[in-house]
Amino acid sequence: MKKMTTQDWQTLRNNLSIDGRAFINGKRVAGDKTEAAITPIDNSVLTEVAFCSEAQTNEAVAYARQTFNQGVWANRSPGTKKAVLHRFADLLQEHRQELALLETLDTGKPITHSYEHDLAGVISCVRWYAEGLDKIYGEIPTTHKGALALVRREPIGVIGGILPWNFPLLLLSWKVAPALALGNSIVIKPSEKTSLSTLRFAEIASQAGIPDGVFSVTPGWGQDVGKTLSLHADIDSLVFTGSTNTAKHLLIAAGQSNMKRVSAETGGKSANIVFADCYDLDKAVEGAMHGVFYNQGQVCIAGTRLLVEESIYDDFIKKLIKKSSYYTPGNPLDSACSMGCLIDDEHTKAVNQHIDNAIAEGAELLLDGRHAGHNQVGPTIFKTTPQHTVACEEVFGPVLSVMTFKTEAQAIAIANDSIYGLGAAVWTAELNKAHRMASALQAGSVFINNYNHGDMTVPWGGYKQSGNGSDKSFHALDKFSELKMTWIDLNAG
Ligand code: NAD
């Protein structure tokens, strides 16, 4: 496919027709209410988006239940499911430019990142579960001679999915692909800020052969559609990505309703630890920069707490400040743009407020990215203590807290002193130290001499209040399946 220029993206945008209607039972349907989808790029209205009522949400769940009980998807052979999911991936590839553009218009992220990173991840995720679905084996445990025991994985039934706005399609694919691979039916509520690409994704799934009713999308507010899903007695498993605070509401709702399983991928305040003995200081600087400023800093696993060994601090920080100009905010539709817009006016105000508060608290401002453009904040760097609020709370913007440490033990203590435990990174050339650190850090992902690398083969999940369960890899299947044990008495009869 030809590389798109800025002009090509503009032309595509001018010709793009956007459908904001809900997707229920294989059809586009008007919402009982609508809200304007506003692009953070210039605050213009992209389209009206359906905001579903409780009745419409219940209807989508009823179709999901009916299709699951009738086995219209669940009972298809693994070979058929695999072919449909591969067709789905092929169609996503065909519509890759359109989906990337929708993602950028809705979120304000750079178009090249949407196209090269997000869509590549989405397509590879769908293919990975398509390929994996007939490689899921049961177990025959060792029992005494008179018995045969079988352990098998069965689809759990109806899945409700509630998603955030920072990687709408990528995180969606992490839920939908394993759910469908196992044969479940699913109802998704995208973030009220970013419904457009999710609606198109579901329509494309339907074109690929996912039967009507198996995969519906009901956009709307968390307090409406989200709450209805979380309290619904016919949802067996609720899969969530979003803030820690919302996850707590969902856990309560499960207890108040049918004790549905709730899996949550939530917030973070990840520590990125650079030792003086790292292989290559410039590489560590680059890793720290991408680790915190990518996607305008709106990344759950962003390395927002940078711990630098005291002896290299001056050198490191000088290089980091210089390098960070790579993330100068620009027009998200410019194919050379590396930093786009924050999600909306309200969030931009909140990020600027975090920065103002940190200054008022006495944190030392080393690089100021405030008010860089419309809905834009550039790379912002503070020297802090571990106790400064900006070093403890998730800002969800391009704001870095840098701290120093003298010993390995001190680095571990600072890194683990957080309610979160999503990610951590260590830069060192000493093998034993790298392993000691990886084992001591309380985080679901630990990166050694890189920041946030990985692929579909490895799980993604958090310790502590960063969540429970995992996305990606075969470990994600736990969210979407029940384990059934069958014990056969071989001496009966
Ligand atoms: P959010 O919690 O505000 O919203 C997430 C979703 O929950 C949205 O669809 C929202 O409408 C819905 N929601 C809100 N209140 C609800 C309620 N009471 N009942 C049901 N649903 C409700 O989060 P956000 O602002 O969209 O996303 C940012 C957060 O997501 C950050 O904390 C970030 O760290 C986290 N995140 C985590 C991961 C991960 O994999 N761990 C990935 C991306 C984002």
Side-chain angles (χ1 to χ4, degrees), residues 302-318:
T304 47
R305 292 186 297 150
L306 177 64
L307 277 57
V308 182
E309 191 164 344
E310 200 172 77
S311 58
I312 56 167
Y313 172 79
D314 288 342
D315 203 12
F316 193 96
I317 209 70
K318 246 185 250 144

Side-chain angles (χ1 to χ4, degrees), residues 12 30 43 62 119 124 133 149-150 188 212 214 217 264 319 321 328 358 387 397-398 438 454 460 493:
L12 194 61
N43 282 14
L119 263 296
S124 90
L133 67 85
L150 308 173
I188 290 284
D212 293 352
V214 168
V217 178
K319 285 173 183 274
I321 289 171
T328 300
Q387 289 75 36
W460 172 278

